[in-house]
């Protein structure tokens, strides 16, 4: 049995393509959006020349799992994910849509990346070394790379159209979206993270950090985009955790490490990945999905 086919891009000429992001293709259906998770993978802000088999299915189905689990905390934008329930106009594309798409309500996205950190890594670790704080939140002295924080912290960032997002203090979020909305997304982000972290730990995975996106639909703030996937989160194997160094992970760090090894200058054109890196990355994504959801990938 050969490797599963890779979908790098959708082309549905009868539909209105609203956006083609680093991973997702979004079509405007009028009162709803069709979101398709492709197998594209990006690193260092560039889409790479190779796709990752099963990646789109993992991202889509993992997000659906978490959206459903956290409905008691906050409503989300999902309308349907069973292709048989999609409009008749989409049925001709069923083969490309099955398992990797969802119909969602239209929402006005808030201009904030809602990042929650339970461990000190990435840009948070860099900022802590420079200032002893993250997003203006002072942290204890003497923390190491990958240290568990005394409590999870909300460290929002602005959404960058290109390059990296910029960490901002909570007061700036209040100025951007209003104090009441800022409180809603802060509280929801922290609660979802804390419940997800407890759930994941029972399954041998540490959720080091993650990011959420929210939007406004019919006057209500709802959860949108993707939730707790290997693209939006750092998932670490709990059995291998040891502070003071980078951790093994279930995300695309494996790809980043390869690109560093070949000393790519992080300028276009982005390189293709060798088969062993592609397959190992696919396996990491699938393992994270199966361990966290307890399900087999459809």
């Amino acid at each position: 049995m050969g490797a599963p086919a890779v979908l790098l891009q959708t082309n549905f000429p009868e539909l209105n393509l609203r956006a083609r992001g680093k991973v997702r293709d979004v079509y405007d259906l009028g009162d709803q959006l069709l979101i398709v998770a492709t197998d594209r993978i990006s690193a260092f802000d560039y889409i790479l020349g190779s796709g990752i088999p099963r990646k789109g299915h993992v991202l889509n189905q993992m997000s659906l799992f978490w959206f459903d689990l956290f409905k008691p905390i906050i409503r989300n934008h999902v309308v349907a994910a069973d292709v048989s329930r999609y409009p008749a106009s989409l049925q001709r594309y069923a083969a490309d849509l099955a398992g990797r798409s969802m119909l969602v309500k239209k929402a006005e996205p808030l201009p904030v990346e809602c990042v929650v950190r339970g461990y000190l890594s990435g840009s948070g670790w860099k900022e802590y070394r420079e200032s002893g704080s993250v997003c203006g939140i002072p942290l204890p002295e003497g923390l190491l790379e990958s240290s568990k924080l005394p409590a999870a912290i909300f460290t929002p960032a602005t959404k960058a159209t290109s390059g990296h997002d910029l960490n901002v203090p909570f007061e700036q979020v209040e100025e951007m979206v209003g104090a009441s909305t800022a409180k809603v997304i802060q509280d929801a982000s922290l609660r979802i993270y804390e419940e997800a972290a407890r759930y994941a730990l029972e399954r041998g995975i540490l959720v080091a950090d993650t990011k959420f996106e929210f939007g406004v639909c019919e006057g209500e703030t709802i959860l949108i985009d993707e939730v707790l996937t290997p693209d939006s989160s750092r998932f670490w194997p709990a059995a291998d955790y040891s502070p003071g160094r980078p951790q093994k992970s279930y995300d695309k760090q494996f790809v980043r490490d390869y690109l560093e090894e070949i000393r790519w200058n992080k300028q276009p054109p982005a390189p293709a990945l060798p088969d062993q890196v592609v397959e190992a990355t696919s396996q990491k994504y699938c393992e994270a999905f199966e361990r966290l959801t307890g399900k087999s990938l459809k």
Side-chain angles (χ1 to χ4, degrees):
M1 184 176 178
V6 169
L7 181 67
L8 291 179
Q9 181 174 296
T10 60
N11 291 287
F12 305 148
E14 291 85 357
L15 303 181
N16 178 20
L17 180 65
R18 176 167 173 166
R20 204 185 293 282
K22 290 179 180 176
V23 175
R24 290 168 178 78
D25 295 345
V26 182
Y27 293 87
D28 192 329
L29 304 184
D31 59 342
Q32 297 175 347
L33 299 176
L34 171 67
I35 301 178
V36 187
T38 72
D39 297 319
R40 295 192 294 266
I41 189 166
S42 65
F44 304 114
D45 300 313
Y46 289 96
I47 297 172
L48 303 184
S50 304
I52 305 299
R54 311 176 190 86
K55 180 174 181 281
H57 291 84
V58 167
L59 299 184
N60 190 70
Q61 293 177 44
M62 187 173 280
S63 289
L64 289 167
F65 171 82
W66 294 115
F67 274 132
D68 186 62
L69 190 65
F70 295 128
K71 277 193 295 189
I73 295 176
I74 189 168
R75 288 179 58 194
N76 61 68
H77 66 168
V78 178
V79 174
D82 180 349
V83 176
S84 67
R85 294 177 54 200
Y86 288 5
S89 60
L90 301 182
Q91 295 305 315
R92 70 185 68 182
Y93 308 121
D96 283 341
L97 297 177
R100 62 164 80 243
S101 67
M102 61 179 81
L103 285 179
V104 304
K105 301 172 186 175
K106 279 187 174 178
E108 184 63 35
L110 297 176
V112 182
E113 294 279 5
C114 294
V115 180
V116 181
R117 303 175 190 273
Y119 295 77
L120 200 52
S121 186
S123 64
W125 167 238
K126 179 181 178 182
E127 189 175 340
Y128 171 77
R129 283 183 296 167
E130 294 171 350
S131 66
S133 63
V134 180
C135 284
I137 301 171
L139 297 175
E141 294 182 3
L143 296 179
L144 305 174
E145 182 176 9
S146 306
S147 285
K148 189 177 191 303
L149 299 176
I153 57 174
F154 181 68
T155 59
T158 57
K159 291 181 182 178
T161 54
S162 62
H164 296 291
D165 298 334
L166 180 65
N167 293 343
V168 296
F170 181 69
E171 292 74 20
Q172 187 168 334
V173 176
E174 291 181 310
E175 294 174 2
M176 294 166 65
V177 302
S180 60
T181 298
K183 185 72 164 54
V184 167
I185 61 178
Q186 180 189 48
D187 289 351
S189 296
L190 287 168
R191 185 175 172 192
I192 292 171
Y193 171 82
E194 288 162 357
E195 293 200 10
R198 284 194 294 270
Y199 176 95
L201 183 57
E202 294 173 356
R203 289 151 181 83
I205 292 179
L206 302 177
V207 183
D209 55 45
T210 193
K211 65 179 179 180
F212 305 107
E213 292 200 34
F214 296 87
V216 177
C217 177
E218 299 175 347
E220 182 180 9
T221 300
I222 63 174
L223 187 61
I224 65 171
D225 195 53
E226 64 179 322
V227 182
L228 289 152
T229 72
D231 270 13
S232 66
S233 317
R234 283 187 175 89
F235 294 141
W236 296 340
D240 295 318
Y241 172 68
S242 178
R245 59 168 173 80
Q247 307 298 307
K248 293 181 180 179
S249 69
Y250 290 105
D251 58 23
K252 57 186 175 183
Q253 190 60 45
F254 193 77
V255 171
R256 296 188 193 100
D257 291 345
Y258 166 77
L259 295 173
E260 294 286 12
E261 286 173 12
I262 65 171
R263 299 184 179 179
W264 175 43
N265 62 4
K266 304 179 180 63
Q267 297 297 320
L273 301 172
D275 290 346
Q276 64 269 26
V277 174
V278 168
E279 183 54 31
T281 304
S282 178
Q283 290 174 358
K284 286 176 179 289
Y285 273 66
C286 291
E287 183 180 352
F289 173 84
E290 291 173 359
R291 291 187 67 172
L292 286 170
T293 68
K295 301 177 180 180
S296 296
L297 193 62
K298 296 180 182 178

